[in-house]
Amino acid sequence: MKAILGISAYFHDSAAALLIDGRVICAAQEERFSRKKHDARFPHHAIRFCLDQAGLSISELEAVTYYEKPLLTFERLLETYIGASPRGGRSFVAAMQTWLHEKLFLKQIMKKNLQEIAGQDATIPPLLFSEHHLSHASAAFFPSPFESSAILCMDGVGEWATTSAWMGHGDQLNPLWEISFPHSLGLLYSAFTSYCGFKVNSGEYKLMGLAPYGTPRYVDLIYDNLIDVKDDGTFRLNLDFFKFHRGFRMTSNRFHALFGQPPRKPESELTPFHMDLAASIQLVTEDIVLALATSIHKETGAKSLCLAGGVALNCVANGRLLREGPFDDIWIQPASGDAGSALGAALVTWHEHFKQPRHCTGDDAMQGTYLGPCFSNDQVCSHLNSKGIPFNTFDDTTLFETVADLLEQGKVVGWLNGRMEFGPRSLGARSILGDPRSQAMQSVMNLKIKYRESFRPFAPSVLDNHVNDQFELNQASPYMLIVAPVNNKLCIPMTEEQNQLFGIDKLNVPRSSLPAITHVDYSARVQTVHAKTNPRFHGLLSAFHRRTGCPTLVNTSFNVRGEPIVCTPEDAYRCFMRTEMDVLVLENQLLLKTDQPEQHSDNNWMTEFELD
């Protein structure tokens, strides 16, 4: 038996993943345990979970692999600051303090942390280092259903690479070409994210959700000034408009002058200007992704494409790539950000370091990405009883029918079921669910449950065999990473008067018979639910379908704004009681809010999580 632990940490979204004999056993982000969103610290909790899940100690591991090479990143920082000198002095000093105190000595620091987990007398296995984009490419290809595929990785930056193309075949990954820092599609998108008042490495999906409210009127301005894109999709940024390579900000004063406004302050009003900017950078990003993919297809002749890196979370671009791109099929790593690189690093070690073959079965190896902790009914009941919390226990059939009935009544349901998801999406293991046919559901969920911005759309989960009844999509989308149009048969055309509305005013116009999940451009971010990977969630959807004729539910992450997605029954109950959720399901236990003891009104908990 060979067990390999992969780790990503110290930048954002730290995580651990465990392979045994090449099979993915478990994986989790540290934030789910520490309750600090995007936690970048060494993943003590995630590692302990992985070891406990497999019944292993650190000494029994064959190797531990870190997802990138810190010295190459340090080299990039030095060269970048020297190139920008004398500008960027304060930023350079701040960066060097962090590096000289910690990051330059990551190997020793990680060994010390592993020793703390293992015990002082325990033997620590060899500590290996992958490379950032190699880890992404590995996470994209090795778990994919393809024996052979092209691979495209796009993110902010790793050591040097920001965009890289690969060819995967069997257990081999061959690099084709890369685009190096500071020319980065991910950082371009993040620059607009920051300029529009959202957090970098967190708010990019808000910008994507905002885009359909606007008009892409700044596309030409972006192409004429900010980025030079060649016919093959490769690009160079005009660094005069950016500061991410030499300062504390993403954008320069020249960027602000180009668009005629200072950066939006967080939480201030979103105007049509910001919506138009979001629409513009979204369209530019989609076009570049399509051009890069077309170029890779011409170069490789591959029929399929695997995607990873933070840009691969742009599910609108993924949807266009699927519909308009040259590949027969695409597969996207569900944890395509840096967290998933922990898994990629472990897979690199298995196939490249230990030279083990890959066995491709035609199914992906992510097991629905349900790779985190789970809790038995005995554990749930023990916790609820110890706290004196009232609940009822039902068998699966009765539970699904009861919950389907409550959903039909318009209740909002917190749903904790089986192993937690690995990656940023809730896929029916840690989800908040609602009836998509309700016109009021989107605003209720945004403002009374999630406490987040009203413009943000919700995603649908649909029975896999009904996906093309509901959406213009003819293939599985199990990881909610593809946006597709709502089926035209369900859409409600807007009147001439409604078409004159702009921005948020469009929000209250019902656009389909599934208004809670239909975005203002008639699109939806689709999850197909499969009995093979999540039979209990599939059972609930089937019960709702039998009752209502609708095979779809609203599915949003089980958390409030700024909070990591819940992990344990205790996390779930706390979130349930702090919000206006009506029902909580913890495995086979059903809790009604009306049965719960009255709690003193205290909103101080809202300061517990930093707004994202």
Side-chain angles (χ1 to χ4, degrees):
M1 181 193 80
K2 276 188 170 65
I4 302 165
L5 183 73
I7 295 175
S8 63
Y10 300 117
F11 291 92
H12 53 86
D13 296 307
S14 68
L18 182 69
L19 298 184
I20 295 181
D21 292 337
R23 176 177 161 77
V24 186
I25 301 300
C26 47
Q29 296 111 298
E30 182 70 2
E31 65 163 27
R32 305 296 171 86
F33 306 95
S34 68
R35 313 307 299 152
K36 177 181 170 57
K37 192 140 187 174
H38 304 303
D39 198 340
R41 294 171 292 182
F42 185 81
H44 286 273
H45 300 89
I47 291 173
R48 285 196 173 96
F49 154 69
C50 288
L51 295 172
D52 290 346
Q53 182 75 18
L56 294 174
S57 67
I58 283 188
S59 302
E60 294 174 284
L61 299 173
E62 203 73 25
V64 177
T65 308
Y66 185 63
Y67 78 125
E68 67 171 27
K69 293 189 172 173
L71 289 180
L72 286 178
T73 306
F74 186 65
E75 174 193 274
R76 185 250 300 163
L77 277 175
L78 283 180
E79 287 196 23
T80 302
Y81 279 117
I82 289 169
S85 177
R87 296 179 295 180
R90 285 195 307 124
S91 171
F92 174 75
V93 170
M96 287 306 105
Q97 286 176 342
T98 302
W99 275 88
L100 294 175
H101 280 95
E102 183 179 75
K103 291 182 179 175
L104 263 183
F105 309 102
L106 277 189
K107 188 168 186 178
Q108 292 91 326
I109 291 170
M110 281 191 284
K111 280 188 170 180
K112 181 182 173 189
N113 281 305
L114 290 168
Q115 196 77 60
E116 283 179 10
I117 294 172
Q120 290 308 312
D121 297 328
T123 303
I124 302 299
L127 183 54
L128 309 177
F129 291 82
S130 178
E131 289 187 11
H132 193 105
H133 269 235
L134 174 60
S135 297
H136 275 318
S138 166
F141 174 64
F142 288 135
S144 79
F146 309 129
E147 175 63 28
S148 176
S149 178
I151 306 156
L152 176 60
C153 304
M154 303 166 288
D155 66 359
V157 62
E159 294 94 352
W160 277 102
T162 67
T163 303
S164 62
W166 306 69
M167 191 65 205
H169 184 78
D171 55 18
Q172 300 292 313
L173 284 172
N174 297 307
L176 301 176
W177 49 261
E178 67 179 42
I179 299 172
S180 296
F181 183 86
H183 306 290
S184 165
L185 185 58
L187 289 173
L188 174 67
Y189 203 88
S190 292
F192 279 86
T193 300
S194 171
Y195 184 62
C196 288
F198 303 120
K199 273 189 177 178
V200 172
N201 289 331
S202 174
E204 283 77 3
Y205 59 96
K206 296 186 186 182
L207 199 68
M208 185 178 66
L210 189 64
Y213 292 98
T215 302
R217 64 181 81 250
Y218 298 109
V219 166
D220 289 344
L221 201 61
I222 292 171
Y223 280 128
D224 290 345
N225 294 277
L226 302 186
I227 186 167
D228 177 26
V229 184
K230 304 301 182 190
D231 290 343
D232 62 3
T234 56
F235 54 83
R236 290 182 64 83
L237 299 183
N238 183 344
L239 297 177
D240 291 342
F241 291 89
F242 302 96
K243 288 194 77 173
F244 58 76
H245 58 299
R246 58 178 174 83
F248 296 106
R249 293 200 319 247
M250 295 297 293
T251 50
S252 70
N253 289 335
R254 194 169 169 187
F255 184 106
H256 311 158
L258 179 68
F259 292 103
Q261 292 198 24
R264 171 181 170 260
K265 292 181 179 177
E267 309 306 314
S268 62
E269 181 186 6
L270 280 165
T271 68
F273 169 69
H274 302 111
M275 297 170 195
D276 292 344
L277 271 184
S280 302
I281 190 59
Q282 177 62 34
L283 184 57
V284 168
T285 301
E286 292 168 23
D287 288 344
I288 292 173
V289 170
L290 270 169
L292 287 169
T294 302
S295 175
I296 293 170
H297 181 260
K298 286 179 183 171
E299 186 175 347
T300 65
K303 293 182 178 178
S304 58
L305 178 69
C306 297
L307 295 165
V311 178
L313 291 172
N314 193 311
C315 42
V316 181
N318 296 343
R320 277 194 65 194
L321 189 54
L322 185 65
R323 291 190 299 277
E324 303 173 31
F327 291 96
D328 294 345
D329 203 356
I330 64 173
W331 189 83
I332 307 148
Q333 163 57 241
S336 70
D338 281 2
S341 294
L343 176 60
L347 286 164
V348 166
T349 302
W350 176 250
H351 292 299
E352 291 203 352
H353 184 79
F354 291 114
K355 302 194 181 307
Q356 294 294 319
R358 171 173 176 256
H359 303 289
C360 183
T361 64
D363 288 331
D364 82 40
M366 291 299 292
Q367 303 158 54
T369 205
Y370 303 110
L371 298 170
C374 64
F375 300 87
S376 67
N377 280 318
D378 286 346
Q379 287 174 304
V380 171
C381 292
S382 175
H383 170 71
L384 296 176
N385 286 325
S386 72
K387 301 292 183 185
I389 295 170
F391 65 95
N392 289 296
T393 299
F394 299 101
D395 60 39
D396 274 0
T397 302
T398 309
L399 179 75
F400 300 157
E401 294 297 333
T402 305
V403 175
D405 179 34
L406 291 164
L407 286 164
E408 187 183 16
Q409 293 175 36
K411 306 296 185 188
V412 178
V413 177
W415 174 260
L416 184 148
N417 159 48
R419 296 185 69 177
M420 183 177 72
E421 304 90 343
F422 179 50
R425 305 288 181 230
S426 282
L427 301 170
R430 304 291 185 275
S431 293
I432 298 174
L433 307 173
D435 186 343
R437 302 167 304 159
S438 165
Q439 176 63 27
M441 190 57 69
Q442 182 182 17
S443 60
V444 168
M445 279 190 161
N446 266 333
L447 300 177
K448 295 185 177 180
I449 310 291
K450 303 280 286 184
Y451 300 111
R452 69 182 199 182
E453 301 91 337
S454 60
F455 71 85
R456 291 172 60 183
F458 285 106
S461 294
V462 60
L463 290 169
D464 60 322
N465 57 337
H466 285 276
V467 61
N468 54 12
D469 300 342
Q470 306 276 288
F471 306 100
E472 303 290 343
L473 182 66
N474 291 312
Q475 71 173 71
S477 174
Y479 302 123
M480 205 182 269
L481 287 171
I482 291 173
V483 163
V486 173
N487 191 313
N488 196 45
K489 290 185 293 187
L490 307 180
C491 292
I492 302 170
M494 293 176 76
T495 65
E496 192 170 329
E497 185 181 356
Q498 289 167 338
N499 271 318
Q500 301 307 311
L501 297 173
F502 186 82
I504 301 295
D505 291 337
K506 292 180 180 176
L507 192 61
N508 295 322
V509 179
R511 294 166 297 280
S512 80
S513 56
L514 303 172
I517 56 87
T518 305
H519 206 2
V520 293
D521 60 352
Y522 291 91
S523 71
R525 179 162 45 89
V526 180
Q527 180 203 1
T528 52
V529 179
H530 305 257
K532 183 177 179 181
T533 50
N534 196 339
R536 298 186 81 245
F537 191 35
H538 191 274
L540 174 62
L541 272 159
S542 299
F544 187 74
H545 182 219
R546 284 193 297 273
R547 180 175 288 274
T548 65
C550 175
T552 301
L553 286 172
V554 180
N555 177 6
T556 186
S557 55
F558 198 155
N559 61 351
V560 294
R561 185 179 173 193
E563 179 189 20
I565 294 171
V566 303
C567 176
T568 66
E570 186 176 2
D571 297 335
Y573 185 76
R574 189 187 310 116
C575 186
F576 170 60
M577 293 303 290
R578 284 172 170 177
T579 67
E580 296 186 37
M581 246 181 282
D582 304 295
V583 180
L584 175 63
V585 178
L586 301 173
E587 298 299 342
N588 285 80
Q589 287 54 242
L590 187 140
L591 294 77
L592 299 176
K593 180 65 71 60
T594 50
D595 292 343
Q596 301 308 305
E598 190 172 346
Q599 297 213 337
H600 297 296
S601 178
D602 180 5
N603 289 332
N604 287 333
W605 65 268
M606 288 188 173
T607 62
E608 182 178 334
F609 303 112
E610 187 179 347
L611 293 181
D612 61 0

